[in-house]
Amino acid sequence: MNWIQLESIQQLQDIKNAPGYSIIFKHSTRCSISMMARKRFELDEDAIPEGTPLYFLDLIRHRDVSGAVADIFNVDHESPQLLLLKDGICIYHASHGEISGELASAHIS
Protein backbone atom coordinates (compact mmCIF):
# COMPACT_ATOMS: atom_id res chain seq x y z
CA MET A 1 0.00 0.00 0.00
CA ASN A 2 1.37 3.40 -0.92
CA TRP A 3 0.82 5.34 2.31
CA ILE A 4 1.35 9.09 2.58
CA GLN A 5 2.61 9.87 6.08
CA LEU A 6 0.30 12.34 7.81
CA GLU A 7 2.45 14.41 10.14
CA SER A 8 1.06 17.94 10.30
CA ILE A 9 -2.11 19.90 10.79
CA GLN A 10 -1.28 21.77 7.56
CA GLN A 11 -1.59 18.47 5.70
CA LEU A 12 -5.08 18.07 7.20
CA GLN A 13 -6.02 21.50 5.93
CA ASP A 14 -4.71 20.54 2.48
CA ILE A 15 -6.77 17.33 2.56
CA LYS A 16 -9.83 19.32 3.69
CA ASN A 17 -9.43 21.58 0.65
CA ALA A 18 -8.63 18.83 -1.86
CA PRO A 19 -11.18 17.75 -4.46
CA GLY A 20 -12.13 14.10 -4.81
CA TYR A 21 -11.69 11.20 -2.42
CA SER A 22 -9.05 10.65 0.26
CA ILE A 23 -8.64 8.08 3.01
CA ILE A 24 -7.10 8.65 6.42
CA PHE A 25 -6.10 5.66 8.54
CA LYS A 26 -5.38 6.48 12.19
CA HIS A 27 -3.13 3.85 13.74
CA SER A 28 -1.80 3.25 17.23
CA THR A 29 1.55 1.49 17.13
CA ARG A 30 0.94 0.29 20.70
CA CYS A 31 -2.33 -1.52 20.00
CA SER A 32 -2.65 -5.06 18.65
CA ILE A 33 -6.23 -4.37 17.49
CA SER A 34 -4.93 -1.44 15.47
CA MET A 35 -2.27 -3.68 13.89
CA MET A 36 -4.89 -6.25 12.93
CA ALA A 37 -7.16 -3.55 11.45
CA ARG A 38 -4.26 -2.19 9.41
CA LYS A 39 -3.34 -5.62 8.05
CA ARG A 40 -6.98 -6.36 7.16
CA PHE A 41 -7.29 -2.98 5.41
CA GLU A 42 -4.05 -3.55 3.50
CA LEU A 43 -5.35 -6.94 2.32
CA ASP A 44 -8.25 -5.04 0.71
CA GLU A 45 -5.87 -2.79 -1.24
CA ASP A 46 -7.35 -3.87 -4.59
CA ALA A 47 -10.79 -2.64 -3.48
CA ILE A 48 -9.59 0.97 -3.22
CA PRO A 49 -9.79 2.84 -6.54
CA GLU A 50 -6.38 3.55 -8.01
CA GLY A 51 -5.21 7.08 -7.39
CA THR A 52 -7.08 7.51 -4.10
CA PRO A 53 -4.68 9.22 -1.68
CA LEU A 54 -4.11 7.03 1.40
CA TYR A 55 -2.92 8.92 4.46
CA PHE A 56 -1.39 7.07 7.42
CA LEU A 57 -1.41 8.75 10.83
CA ASP A 58 0.74 7.34 13.64
CA LEU A 59 -1.34 8.86 16.40
CA ILE A 60 1.23 8.09 19.09
CA ARG A 61 3.87 10.23 17.33
CA HIS A 62 1.40 12.89 16.20
CA ARG A 63 -1.20 13.32 18.93
CA ASP A 64 -1.85 16.92 17.92
CA VAL A 65 -2.72 15.84 14.38
CA SER A 66 -4.92 13.04 15.68
CA GLY A 67 -6.89 15.50 17.80
CA ALA A 68 -7.21 17.87 14.87
CA VAL A 69 -8.69 15.09 12.69
CA ALA A 70 -11.68 14.88 15.05
CA ASP A 71 -12.17 18.65 15.01
CA ILE A 72 -11.60 19.31 11.31
CA PHE A 73 -13.67 16.39 10.00
CA ASN A 74 -16.31 16.44 12.77
CA VAL A 75 -15.89 12.84 13.95
CA ASP A 76 -15.32 11.33 17.37
CA HIS A 77 -11.74 10.25 18.06
CA GLU A 78 -11.27 6.49 17.86
CA SER A 79 -8.29 4.24 17.36
CA PRO A 80 -7.84 2.56 15.03
CA GLN A 81 -10.02 4.60 12.74
CA LEU A 82 -10.57 4.99 9.01
CA LEU A 83 -12.09 8.09 7.43
CA LEU A 84 -13.26 8.32 3.83
CA LEU A 85 -13.38 11.91 2.67
CA LYS A 86 -15.02 13.38 -0.42
CA ASP A 87 -14.18 16.97 -1.29
CA GLY A 88 -12.91 17.46 2.27
CA ILE A 89 -16.02 16.11 4.00
CA CYS A 90 -16.06 12.84 5.93
CA ILE A 91 -18.70 10.68 4.25
CA TYR A 92 -17.81 7.40 5.99
CA HIS A 93 -15.81 6.40 9.03
CA ALA A 94 -15.20 3.15 10.81
CA SER A 95 -13.20 1.88 13.74
CA HIS A 96 -11.81 -1.35 15.09
CA GLY A 97 -13.27 -4.47 13.42
CA GLU A 98 -15.45 -2.41 11.08
CA ILE A 99 -12.43 -1.10 9.15
CA SER A 100 -12.48 -2.55 5.64
CA GLY A 101 -11.22 -1.40 2.29
CA GLU A 102 -14.21 -3.06 0.65
CA LEU A 103 -16.69 -1.18 2.83
CA ALA A 104 -14.88 2.11 2.29
CA SER A 105 -14.78 1.61 -1.50
CA ALA A 106 -18.52 0.84 -1.50
CA HIS A 107 -19.03 4.52 -0.60
CA ILE A 108 -16.97 5.76 -3.55
CA SER A 109 -19.17 6.49 -6.55
Side-chain angles (χ1 to χ4, degrees):
M1 198 156 261
N2 192 17
W3 292 111
I4 302 165
Q5 295 300 311
L6 185 49
E7 300 174 334
S8 73
I9 294 173
Q10 181 58 54
Q11 282 178 286
L12 290 178
Q13 293 297 337
D14 294 343
I15 294 166
K16 177 83 174 158
N17 295 322
Y21 291 96
S22 300
I23 291 176
I24 296 175
F25 184 84
K26 292 173 50 182
H27 174 67
S28 171
T29 55
R30 298 182 186 159
C31 175
S32 60
I33 293 171
S34 191
M35 283 192 180
M36 288 176 19
R38 177 183 176 181
K39 286 183 186 284
R40 187 172 45 248
F41 181 76
E42 288 177 338
L43 288 173
D44 287 345
E45 179 177 10
D46 292 341
I48 305 300
E50 191 172 327
T52 304
L54 301 168
Y55 294 92
F56 182 85
L57 174 58
D58 177 343
L59 59 91
I60 301 297
R61 289 184 62 207
H62 303 286
R63 291 182 190 273
D64 60 330
V65 179
S66 179
V69 167
D71 293 337
I72 291 171
F73 298 109
N74 198 29
V75 295
D76 290 333
H77 165 76
E78 297 192 63
S79 169
Q81 186 175 35
L82 179 126
L83 285 74
L84 173 63
L85 310 166
K86 181 179 182 188
D87 300 329
I89 297 170
C90 183
I91 61 167
Y92 172 79
H93 61 95
S95 66
H96 298 83
E98 296 176 1
I99 293 173
S100 161
E102 288 185 14
L103 289 176
S105 68
H107 292 83
I108 297 175
S109 53

